[in-house]
Amino acid sequence: MKLRLAPSNLATRLHRPLRFGSRWRGHELPLRLCQLILLALLAVTVARLVGQGIARILAG
């Protein structure tokens, strides 16, 4: 059985980052920034909840 390498055009197509649909083309950077901000807000919220839970456990 011969070992063959995949064609280069197939490799570039499979390893591209996921993109938004054609409707959002050109707005990808602002959408990614909004996504990053929402992720940071979620992280802060979860950290506060975990901190409050640990404080209640230690106080009680």
Side-chain angles (χ1 to χ4, degrees):
M1 189 165 116
K2 287 186 178 180
L3 181 65
R4 293 185 299 172
L5 296 175
S8 62
N9 62 349
L10 181 63
T12 58
R13 187 177 48 192
L14 290 178
H15 295 289
R16 280 188 294 190
L18 295 175
R19 300 276 181 201
F20 293 109
S22 61
R23 174 187 291 179
W24 301 104
R25 198 170 307 271
H27 300 288
E28 191 163 342
L29 181 61
L31 289 171
R32 296 283 181 189
L33 289 175
C34 289
Q35 187 180 26
L36 182 64
I37 290 169
L38 287 174
L39 183 64
L41 289 174
L42 180 66
V44 168
T45 304
V46 169
R48 285 182 181 171
L49 288 173
V50 169
Q52 288 174 359
I54 290 173
R56 285 187 182 183
I57 289 173
L58 294 177

